[in-house]
Amino acid sequence: MNTAGHSEATVHRGLELTPFRGLRYDPDRVGSLAAVTSPPYDVVVRPDGLHHLQSLDPYNIVRLILPQAGTPSARNEQAAHTLRSWLTEGVLTADTAPGLYVYEQDDGDGMIQRGVIGALRLSDPAEQVVLPHEDVMPHVVADRADLMRATSANLEPLLLTYRGNGSAADTSAVLDRIAQQPPLLATTTEDGYRHRLWSLTDPADVARVQSDLARHQALIADGHHRWATYRRLRAEHPSPSPWDYGLVLLVDTARYPLRVRAIHRLLHHLPVADALAALDGLFRTRRLEVPLADALAALAEAADAGNAFLLAGDGAFHLVDRPDPALLARTVPADRPAAWRTLDATVLHATLLDHIWHIPEDDPARIAYIHDTAATVRKAERDGGTAVLMHPVREEVVRDLARQGVTMPRKSTSFGPKPASGLVLRALDL
């Protein structure tokens, strides 16, 4: 893959994808496959979405990826106990033979995404095999690491992208052929997406996919914290071990382009009036008495001309744009490429959060990161905080920065569609 701007010859080993014995729900033991799935752990809106998922089915995967208890250690112990119980009861069962898994998502409106799930060899940044594009928050990595240690499992796949060449030897050719066969499972989730999963166990097919992927490198589209967690846990276990690999979904974006959406911020304990007062004379602010869709359209128009944000939480929307150039010069680090310095996420974190509002970006008591736009607004209005709505960054900007080895601010992008959690898991002791 040439996504990182390096020739394939500079890649040390390329992507090494390995078959594994997937853990899957027994359809006869659960209400429905749709009722036991969940969005990735960091997409679930808490507590509303969490409670909803828990109520769908007593075996919903959210009980593993977001266990609920009084302390972090109790949460992780509960997840480990739950996983052991489900295995003992036969709610989750391991496939008899190791394999890769072909995974397809269909939104019912013409968008199909198809990729391959497997255990990927973990690599160091210097190898330039797996390229991150965002920074991570240490406390989130520590939290995910504690959960993975306790369960000894990869509970949900990361989303990685690469760019194939469309040849007959391409991985997508194998996936397309497998997808003509009856799937292992098929279900439609509440969001209208249809999910199908196939096993890929034929040695010739597996070898063909492995040979093709070995020529590529990948960009992390979703799962930076889990990738950092994989690498932390690998360092804790003598090699060779199952911890040398992590569960991923690889999607060829030359064939199946991903969508890029924004991740919004919810600022706890900061009323909109106070947030706006602090911006006086530093940004232009305009009150918009319009529906959410119209406010987002105004944000998109303003973002074409420069940094722009929408604040919400008091029943209206407030368009914030045209920052004082002198303010940006004082607050945005100058030792990064221009494309990084002008990112909305950069200005948000360096100028607004750090300099004006004094909100630590990694303090969950002060700030939350929410993918759903309407949910961010609702929570701000209900809790008396401020929603900061972002305009999505263009995919080419993400890739250009990744080529330069420059990571974007945390939670800058949301690539999708994301794989549903709960369709296939990887136990490290199988």
Side-chain angles (χ1 to χ4, degrees):
M1 170 183 172
N2 219 16
T3 303
H6 298 276
S7 68
E8 298 289 345
T10 64
V11 179
H12 179 54
R13 295 166 70 178
L15 297 167
E16 296 183 25
L17 198 64
T18 302
F20 68 103
R21 292 178 61 199
L23 291 182
R24 296 188 293 111
Y25 282 100
D26 181 343
D28 295 330
R29 298 298 307 275
V30 298
S32 73
L33 289 174
V36 295
T37 64
S38 164
Y41 79 98
D42 58 339
V43 180
V44 176
V45 178
R46 286 164 266 187
D48 311 35
L50 179 63
H51 293 160
H52 172 68
L53 290 165
Q54 287 176 327
S55 67
L56 281 179
D57 192 285
Y59 298 116
N60 189 282
I61 191 67
V62 78
R63 298 179 186 273
L64 297 182
I65 62 175
L66 288 173
Q68 299 301 293
T71 65
S73 61
R75 289 196 292 270
N76 296 324
E77 290 170 7
Q78 178 176 299
H81 173 75
T82 299
L83 179 57
R84 288 193 300 269
S85 298
W86 291 358
L87 289 169
T88 300
E89 296 169 18
V91 174
L92 286 172
T93 59
D95 287 331
T96 55
L100 303 176
Y101 295 85
V102 179
Y103 175 48
E104 179 186 273
Q105 294 162 277
D106 183 343
D107 71 351
D109 196 29
M111 194 290 300
I112 293 178
Q113 176 174 287
R114 191 177 293 153
V116 59
I117 295 174
L120 183 69
R121 180 186 71 87
L122 305 182
S123 55
D124 296 321
E127 296 181 63
Q128 298 178 333
V129 173
V130 175
L131 302 170
H133 70 267
E134 287 185 358
D135 294 330
V136 297
M137 290 176 271
H139 77 276
V140 177
V141 176
D143 174 73
R144 291 293 102 184
D146 289 342
L147 178 62
M148 285 190 204
R149 285 191 203 95
T151 58
S152 191
N154 299 153
L155 300 173
E156 45 186 349
L158 284 63
L159 175 60
L160 306 184
T161 70
Y162 70 100
R163 295 191 69 80
N165 58 19
S167 71
D170 198 89
T171 293
S172 293
V174 177
L175 272 52
D176 290 350
R177 176 166 48 79
I178 296 297
Q180 302 307 309
Q181 303 172 8
L184 283 176
L185 64 87
T187 190
T188 301
T189 46
E190 284 187 326
D191 57 8
Y193 274 84
R194 183 187 185 199
H195 306 262
R196 297 198 294 170
L197 190 78
W198 296 261
S199 62
L200 199 164
T201 56
D202 179 81
D205 283 337
V206 170
R208 186 172 167 188
V209 168
Q210 289 176 319
S211 176
D212 176 49
L213 293 177
R215 300 196 301 269
H216 297 294
Q217 53 191 176
L219 179 75
I220 301 177
D222 185 67
H224 284 81
H225 289 89
R226 283 167 286 164
W227 180 257
T229 300
Y230 286 169
R231 296 190 63 248
R232 173 181 290 192
L233 294 175
R234 181 193 65 171
E236 296 175 3
H237 295 82
S239 186
S241 83
W243 297 93
D244 293 340
Y245 297 83
L247 186 64
V248 305
L249 165 66
L250 281 161
V251 173
D252 175 3
T253 52
R255 183 73 180 277
Y256 303 105
L258 269 63
R259 299 171 178 174
V260 186
R261 291 187 170 93
I263 302 176
H264 310 296
R265 276 65 170 162
L266 176 62
L267 310 182
H268 306 301
H269 317 302
L270 179 64
V272 174
D274 294 349
L276 290 170
L279 302 182
D280 187 38
L282 301 174
F283 284 76
R284 182 177 70 167
T285 62
R286 288 176 285 165
R287 183 182 180 94
L288 306 178
E289 297 281 1
V290 297
L292 174 58
D294 293 342
L296 291 174
L299 173 62
E301 182 178 352
D304 285 340
N307 299 119
F309 312 91
L310 270 182
L311 305 191
D314 62 351
F317 296 99
H318 304 267
L319 184 60
V320 175
D321 64 354
R322 297 189 183 177
D324 176 14
L327 172 68
L328 298 184
R330 291 197 311 272
T331 57
V332 175
D335 61 346
R336 301 288 185 92
W340 182 90
R341 297 197 307 272
T342 56
L343 287 170
D344 287 339
T346 297
V347 173
L348 171 64
H349 284 263
T351 304
L352 291 170
L353 294 178
D354 293 351
H355 183 76
I356 297 177
W357 293 328
H358 307 293
I359 295 177
E361 62 183 16
D362 57 356
D363 183 355
R366 303 286 304 280
I367 185 171
Y369 299 83
I370 304 178
H371 294 69
D372 185 275
T373 309
T376 311
V377 176
R378 285 196 304 269
K379 289 177 71 66
E381 292 179 343
R382 185 180 64 194
D383 302 339
T386 294
V388 182
L389 306 184
M390 309 283 289
H391 185 65
V393 64
R394 299 190 313 277
E395 183 177 359
E396 56 266 30
V397 173
V398 177
R399 295 190 181 278
D400 285 346
L401 289 171
R403 291 187 187 107
Q404 300 174 60
V406 176
T407 52
M408 299 169 62
R410 301 159 182 175
K411 299 292 184 180
S412 295
T413 59
S414 176
F415 281 90
K418 305 177 190 302
S421 299
L423 296 180
V424 62
L425 294 64
R426 174 179 175 249
L428 278 77
D429 50 8
L430 285 181

